[in-house]
Amino acid sequence: MSSFSSPAPDGLLDRHYVSVDSAPAKLTRPLSPWSAPAVLVIFVLVAGLMLLAVDAHPVLAAAFPQGDLVFSPYSGSHSIPLRIFILSFYIAFAAVVGTRKRDRTRFLVELIASYVLICGLFDLINILAFHAIGLVYSLHVVEILSGLIGFFVFSLKLLDHGSMPGRVTVPRPVHRRRFAWTRLGLAVAGAIAVSVMVDRLGLPLVGDLRQVALLGGTGPGVFLFLPVLFLILYVWGTLTAVLRPRRAFAPPVSIIIPAHNEAHVIRRTLTAVDAAARDYDGRVKVLVLNNNSTDDTAEIARAVLARLSLIQGRVVNVPTPGKAVALNRGVEEVDTDYMIRIDADTQILPHTLARAMRHFADPQTGIVGGVPIPPGDGPFDRARLIEVLLKHGYYQIAYGAIDAIVGVPGMFAAYRTDAVRAAGGFVQGMNGEDTDVSLRIGEMGYRVIGDPQVHYVSEVPASFHHLREQRLRWFRSVYHVSARNRTYLDDWRPSLRGKAILPFMLLNSARRAMTVPLFLFSLLYYVIGPSGAAPLTLQAVLAVLVGAPALMGAFAVLVNGRPRALLGLPEYVLFRVLRSYLTLESVLSIAFAPRRNR
Amino acid sequence: MRYPIWAFFFVLVMPPFAVHALLAGKARIAPDSAIMASYEAPQDVYFSRVTTSR
């Protein structure tokens, strides 16, 4: 990954990866390593008190016999009290986030008020439905939906109260993408049908899986829905890709490479591009965007480019620090109809160019991405491999089936040059410039493609500090991109990305930030919850933390034809816990500021 | 007037969840009149004003 820092002074820990993009000014605040632990400690105390109060206080115990703050009818007698969990997390988070007491208080008041309001509305609907048609949910369902409300409200309020990029005008659509909602609706119906059918079969395997907490206590019907939905979409996306007519297409293409102090790797990167150009019929130009380097990046790049025979290249000096600054200079310089951006430490493979560029034979294709394969020799590489196979080799294909891919990672992304320019180029001063430009190009109606056959090698952080720096940036980006492009979320056009996918990503981000607290909550409930009920709770939480991710990871590994990657599954499960903790840190690093135009 | 973002939950999450819960047996439609007539919930149905011993 390209970086933009000053070189570390001799004798100090090398933090070459720290850059102006690590913590965008005004949008982030300095984050103490003790902030997240402080949230967790406060959370445990608050949750413990609330659980004890609802369990022991005679009035509360009588009003809420199920142990949670539910007001509507329900069937069943016990489940994990997610409303107490959510409220406890809100209080703990608001106690630590931001820098001013007044901001924290206002944030907490709005969080709780919104949550109570939406849960109240949900309960009211249930009460009315009960009286009208006798509808009664299982308590498990009430709790799961209450959890989803809690995740979603948290992210929305963070968007409102956090320091976010200002809303900007969105580019006008140039193509129409049809039937995306219809396809999603059909897939949802199919997923419901399959998961219900499996539930009714009463397979012994399902019972066995429940016993070992792979499906938890919530039942396969609920648990299977999302995996089946993504499986249907994945199959759909794969079939569409296979059946789509292909013809050879290898137009001239420019590759832009932002580079700051990349002397150690730029030779390897350029040599890999030259090797890929050998398998590509079109002309390949390269622009190395030397961004304020203090090492020999520019000299080495010039020397290598002079020696390589298959690519035409030059070095452009971009003295202003910032990856997006360098990228935008590259967009200005490009004189071909298609361009590719890669990081200075991305090694493309011989087939990468040819496989990616063929998609542009379709005049509606706007962006093509692939699967970043880790080098394989670092401490996080095995876990990262499963992560990328699941995200880019599986989910991305599924989203592609409904024209709903939001982000194509900047490690390697091929663009129609005009589309990048029409989208406004790469945004500076926030995280997620790659997701931002692909979202906007996709919403212009261009096809965004994630091709699992397009591979390239991309660096994985080799230390915890580097991983933390990277993930804090990545996990903030969903908020930055949503705030800047809020029009897609709240105008009245039926944008699938804006009305379904981005909200789902926001909900999922909050879910990830609350995963470690949820695990602590289940342990707490195990200790002080109602007797006889706790094992079910622990089982369900373990299913969320361990079972479901392991199953999905294993499945993605197999469909991508890399069975040896299964050896990394235990590391992957632990990696996900670490990732969840870093998501909590990431949302804590968001600065709070007075309200602006949103 | 802007589209309310929180409508995501009521428009896109709750309806399919309700259908799914009904079909999977995680929700059911009980005869309301019988419940109200007896002033007792069915065997495993709680209501906000119904208290049980724990």
Side-chain angles (χ1 to χ4, degrees):
Chain A
M1 197 145 298
S2 183
S3 58
F4 300 89
S5 62
S6 297
D10 290 344
L12 293 181
L13 182 65
D14 180 18
R15 296 284 175 90
H16 71 281
Y17 47 82
V18 177
S19 72
V20 296
D21 300 313
S22 296
K26 297 179 183 172
L27 304 186
T28 56
R29 65 176 184 127
L31 181 70
S32 160
W34 295 106
S35 293
V39 169
L40 297 177
V41 169
I42 297 170
F43 165 77
V44 168
L45 291 174
V46 174
L49 284 173
M50 288 180 75
L51 284 172
L52 285 174
V54 170
D55 191 42
H57 193 283
V59 176
L60 293 174
F64 305 111
Q66 79 288 11
D68 201 2
L69 314 174
V70 177
F71 297 90
S72 59
Y74 53 84
S75 63
S77 60
H78 174 266
S79 184
I80 183 168
L82 276 175
R83 291 187 178 183
I84 288 179
F85 164 75
I86 292 287
L87 290 173
S88 307
F89 178 80
Y90 284 178
I91 293 168
F93 185 84
V96 175
V97 77
T99 49
R100 295 192 309 175
K101 191 178 174 185
R102 196 177 60 183
D103 294 338
R104 287 199 286 261
T105 307
R106 200 165 58 184
F107 178 60
L108 178 62
V109 169
E110 273 200 37
L111 257 183
I112 292 182
S114 303
Y115 186 59
V116 168
L117 196 70
I118 297 185
C119 280
L121 190 55
F122 174 55
D123 282 0
L124 183 65
I125 291 172
N126 292 343
I127 291 170
L128 293 175
F130 175 72
H131 283 291
I133 57 172
L135 176 71
V136 179
Y137 281 118
S138 150
L139 183 57
H140 295 304
V141 175
V142 174
E143 295 289 5
I144 289 170
L145 285 168
S146 300
L148 296 180
I149 296 171
F151 300 151
F152 193 51
V153 165
F154 176 77
S155 276
L156 289 191
K157 289 298 149 192
L158 206 53
L159 270 184
D160 281 347
H161 288 257
S163 292
M164 296 287 157
R167 178 200 293 264
V168 293
T169 311
V170 297
R172 292 168 61 86
V174 293
H175 299 290
R176 283 190 66 187
R177 303 237 68 82
R178 297 178 182 191
F179 307 121
W181 282 101
T182 310
R183 278 176 271 165
L184 177 63
L186 288 173
V188 167
I192 290 175
V194 171
S195 51
V196 168
M197 194 178 69
V198 171
D199 195 26
R200 288 186 175 174
L201 285 176
L203 298 172
L205 175 66
V206 172
D208 293 344
L209 287 172
R210 273 179 172 167
Q211 291 304 313
V212 293
L214 282 175
L215 288 172
T218 52
V222 173
F223 244 81
L224 272 183
F225 172 74
L226 271 182
V228 172
L229 174 64
F230 278 106
L231 176 63
I232 290 172
L233 292 175
Y234 173 80
V235 171
W236 199 326
T238 304
L239 285 176
T240 308
V242 168
L243 297 175
R244 187 174 291 147
R246 285 182 190 165
R247 63 184 173 90
F249 191 68
V253 62
S254 300
I255 300 180
I256 62 173
I257 310 173
H260 170 81
N261 290 348
E262 304 283 3
H264 61 290
V265 74
I266 195 70
R267 182 190 310 276
R268 203 150 37 103
T269 302
L270 292 172
T271 306
V273 173
D274 196 58
R278 192 180 306 279
D279 284 4
Y280 184 67
D281 293 335
R283 196 155 45 93
V284 179
K285 294 181 171 185
V286 173
L287 289 173
V288 176
L289 305 158
N290 177 42
N291 192 211
N292 201 32
S293 294
T294 53
D295 65 2
D296 297 332
T297 300
E299 291 74 17
I300 293 174
R302 282 194 192 95
V304 174
L305 287 169
R307 183 172 54 78
L308 297 175
S309 56
L310 295 168
I311 55 177
Q312 291 180 314
R314 62 193 170 98
V315 176
V316 177
N317 280 315
V318 186
T320 308
K323 190 183 221 171
V325 178
L327 287 167
N328 285 329
R329 177 64 186 277
V331 175
E332 281 176 25
E333 298 277 340
V334 164
D335 60 0
T336 51
D337 291 340
Y338 306 93
M339 55 174 273
I340 295 173
R341 63 168 284 191
I342 63 172
D343 281 340
D345 52 13
T346 293
Q347 273 81 57
I348 62 173
L349 301 176
H351 69 256
T352 309
L353 289 181
R355 288 188 185 173
M357 294 308 295
R358 63 188 174 179
H359 292 286
F360 288 101
D362 177 353
Q364 294 199 1
T365 297
I367 312 180
V368 179
V371 182
I373 302 298
D377 52 358
F380 302 113
D381 285 26
R382 282 180 295 275
R384 171 66 178 155
L385 177 59
I386 297 178
E387 183 185 51
V388 298
L389 292 177
L390 186 57
K391 183 173 182 188
H392 301 289
Y394 188 71
Y395 288 137
Q396 199 82 314
I397 317 306
Y399 283 126
I402 47 175
D403 282 319
I405 293 177
V406 170
V408 173
M411 294 165 267
F412 174 94
Y415 303 97
R416 188 175 294 277
T417 308
D418 282 349
V420 176
R421 289 178 177 145
F426 296 94
V427 58
Q428 300 168 19
M430 62 172 242
N431 295 128
E433 91 289 335
D434 47 0
T435 304
D436 176 81
V437 78
S438 41
L439 168 66
R440 292 160 76 81
I441 291 174
E443 284 299 283
M444 287 162 67
Y446 286 106
R447 182 167 282 129
V448 181
I449 291 174
D451 185 340
Q453 294 187 319
V454 175
H455 300 135
Y456 51 93
V457 177
S458 178
E459 179 205 10
V460 177
S463 67
F464 171 75
H465 288 290
H466 189 181
L467 183 74
R468 182 174 184 263
E469 185 274 339
Q470 180 195 64
R471 297 300 165 130
L472 260 56
R473 270 188 292 118
W474 286 7
F475 297 147
R476 272 193 306 261
S477 67
V478 66
Y479 294 99
H480 289 177
V481 171
S482 298
R484 178 172 142 85
N485 298 284
R486 197 160 173 147
T487 299
Y488 294 131
L489 287 149
D490 66 7
D491 70 4
W492 288 89
R493 280 178 297 183
S495 152
L496 184 60
R497 288 185 185 85
K499 303 301 180 295
I501 309 299
L502 274 176
F504 178 71
M505 288 170 68
L506 288 167
L507 184 154
N508 200 37
S509 176
R511 193 268 311 159
R512 222 171 35 226
M514 294 189 211
T515 297
V516 174
L518 181 62
F519 179 64
L520 294 177
F521 188 74
S522 72
L523 290 178
L524 192 66
Y525 202 52
Y526 185 76
V527 175
I528 64 174
S531 59
L536 181 65
T537 304
L538 197 60
Q539 194 184 36
V541 173
L542 279 175
V544 172
L545 275 176
V546 181
L551 281 175
M552 291 306 298
F555 191 71
V557 160
L558 293 175
V559 297
N560 278 277
R562 290 178 180 262
R564 284 188 61 185
L566 287 173
L567 295 173
L569 264 184
E571 289 166 78
Y572 173 65
V573 169
L574 292 174
F575 184 75
R576 282 180 62 96
V577 178
L578 177 60
R579 203 174 66 165
S580 300
Y581 181 80
L582 294 176
T583 309
L584 176 59
E585 285 206 294
S586 179
V587 289
L588 280 167
S589 74
I590 291 173
F592 273 44
R595 287 165 179 264
R596 295 193 308 273
N597 174 35
R598 295 194 165 100
Chain B
M1 185 186 165
R2 298 189 189 281
Y3 171 83
I5 303 176
W6 50 263
F8 166 72
F9 177 77
F10 289 102
V11 175
L12 290 175
V13 176
M14 220 174 85
F17 224 102
V19 172
H20 182 270
L22 275 169
L23 291 173
K26 309 294 177 194
R28 59 193 168 88
I29 295 177
D32 181 43
S33 56
I35 298 167
M36 300 312 286
S38 65
Y39 250 76
E40 282 183 10
Q43 198 163 20
D44 63 342
V45 174
Y46 291 82
F47 200 46
S48 55
R49 55 198 160 85
V50 175
T51 59
T52 62
S53 59
R54 308 186 69 197

